[in-house]
Amino acid sequence: MTEKTIEDINTRIADGSVHVVTAEEMPDIVSQLGPEQAAKEVDIVTTGTFGAMCSSGVWLNFGHSDPPIKMQRLWLNDVEAYTGVAAVDAYIGAAQLSSTQGMKYGGAHVIEDLVSGKSIDIHAISQGTDCYPRKLLDTTLTIEDLNQAIMMNPRNAYQKYACASNSSNRTLYTYMGTLLPNCTNITYSGSGVLSPLSNDPEYRTIGMGTRIFLSGTQGYVTGEGTQHDPGDQFGTLMVQGDLKKMDKKYIRGATFNGYGTSLYVGIGIPIPILNSDLAKATAVTDADITTSILDYSVLRFNKPVLRNVTYEELKSGMIDINGHDIPTSPLSSFHDARAIATELKEWVKQGKFYPTLPVERISNTRVCKPMKQTQDMPMVIDVMPTRITTIKQDLCIEDAAKMIMDSNFSHLPVVSEDDKLVGIITAWDIARAVAKNKHDRLEDAMTKNVITADATEPIDIAACRLEQYNISAMPVIDKHRKVVGIITSDDFSKLMARRRDK
Amino acid sequence: MKFLLFVTPEIIARPLIAETVLETGALLNVDRADIKPSGGEIIIDVPRDKYDEVTAALIKRGAKIIPLEQPVIKDDEECINCGACISVCPTGVISFDEEWCVVMDVSKCIQCGLCITMCPHGALKVVKQNPR
Ligand code: SF4
Ligand code: SF4
């Protein structure tokens, strides 16, 4: 049984005899030699990933101004940073949006601009105190002018990630990119065979204190990441490194259209092959890593699974869903993940990087809980007005006009003989029909493709739909398509105002 | 070969394309059409050997031709080869090479703009050339 220590390996790095391979090369080696022999021959396996990691940010220290200020609110290029700590410390988060440019520019872009050495405009305000009298500060500086710029990312390097598609009939703009209607494309994230945590899923060598490649410099794992969920193979890491030493090639601000900004972070983790168990773990292939394609058209936390897939299938570029070949897009760069694993391999070979063992192990059993919600989310049925006027489809335009006048509703759901929803008619439809001199049949003037709300769906989701379709009212139907109410944008605004004021 | 046909509102109602097909006998394909009050932008695909004849027939009828030599360009400084753009392209312009670099066969591009919206790094641009 091969048993190496980290000291054995580090001695080999020092004398130049170390054998390093990337996680892409390891599966072949293990299948040829077997895990035992592979563990003898290979000392280190390097991994890599380069993808969007929204839970990233940087602690900045500006040094004191004269007269001094306790920054209470602070903006870098119009992107607000968190200042709820001491006077001139602040945290700029990747997903914070610019107050002037919106989604085009965010914290991630500020971080990229800092790394690129660009000048950043600083604006800070304060109430002023006896010890920090200054109330306003404007200055321009570069990363060189900061005392510290320390990247501290609460959740990076997801072991693997769920893929996204969209079965609805409209385009969705998400953090998984643009999802075209009717499941026309699939997006996925993560580097599969090169994924750091997929190569050490038992957390034998990756833990608190593990030295890593972080965006072009040496950084550290500081512990488990937030939402760490190792049982379901959704483990995450918290990492730290010096932004001043990072390479702009591996720190890239990104905008996901209609969602916001995110930061592409490059992480590479060396896995010391201490024994045959680690050799076996690092022999993982794309075909061994399974994930699910979720339907993002369902606006709930739990989304239906369209099918399960392996990274091998995803990387083939086409996935079959119900007999249709759907093209896939990665959001992470496999090209750069490979570049990171290769660069780390070179660092080790050249004696520039010495791996460490963790000072504390990360839990491999922790479970990620959903949020405890103490207030039930109101459903449409709880808030909709119950008084409702409908009109039968065989009536004429004039009847509808009269009904609108009498009832004070500007939208009338049109129903069939057995009270099922077949259309909707508005005062505007009637005006148009009259103007065109086509004012007999209701059916010709009404909208047939009605956007509806479900009595038992959460109101926020129904409100979202009103906005998406830019309409002002929706009939509420039960499961037999019977109209049970109508809900308007007015109802929603009143309700939202009440909830906010509480 | 693809080109962009621009028709002004005055001639938009004329069956320009049908007339051109009858005159030249070219099997042309309308890839995308965007008709607005300010005029129509239509992407036409023609066999290479009929390109000159077809464009001449259209120009004769008052339409403008914009060749699509560089319909879409990628800024390699900004591109990180993620491939996010691949799956939204309706005509299969974008793909990976063996090294996982993103490559484009721009001759298939119909300037729909979907890849531009998708790209998280602002690396893609549709190029509008001046009419000939
Ligand atoms: S604009 Fe982009 S998505 Fe559209 S056809 Fe051209 S390359 Fe494809
Ligand atoms: S989406 Fe943008 S960054 Fe990604 S491969 Fe395409 S052009 Fe490059």
Side-chain angles (χ1 to χ4, degrees), chain A residues 331-402:
Chain A
L331 301 172
S332 319
S333 170
F334 192 72
H335 178 270
D336 286 0
R338 192 187 261 173
I340 288 167
T342 310
E343 196 165 330
L344 180 55
K345 173 173 148 179
E346 288 308 313
W347 284 4
V348 175
K349 282 209 304 208
Q350 293 162 16
K352 290 198 242 165
F353 186 104
Y354 286 84
T356 60
L357 281 189
V359 291
E360 194 91 56
R361 299 250 329 238
I362 286 177
S363 163
N364 58 3
T365 53
R366 173 99 61 246
V367 175
C368 173
K369 300 189 293 253
M371 184 187 287
K372 172 182 175 186
Q373 281 165 284
T374 54
Q375 287 187 3
D376 283 339
M377 171 100 139
M379 289 188 293
V380 169
I381 197 160
D382 301 331
V383 300
M384 70 185 187
T386 43
R387 200 169 61 90
I388 164 86
T389 311
T390 58
I391 183 165
K392 289 261 158 39
Q393 86 191 103
D394 50 9
L395 295 182
C396 67
I397 295 275
E398 258 162 48
D399 300 317
K402 266 195 218 110

Side-chain angles (χ1 to χ4, degrees), chain A residues 294-307:
Chain A
L294 303 183
D295 186 353
Y296 272 59
S297 70
V298 174
L299 305 183
R300 302 299 294 262
F301 178 69
N302 286 317
K303 302 189 188 309
V305 174
L306 292 168
R307 64 162 276 192

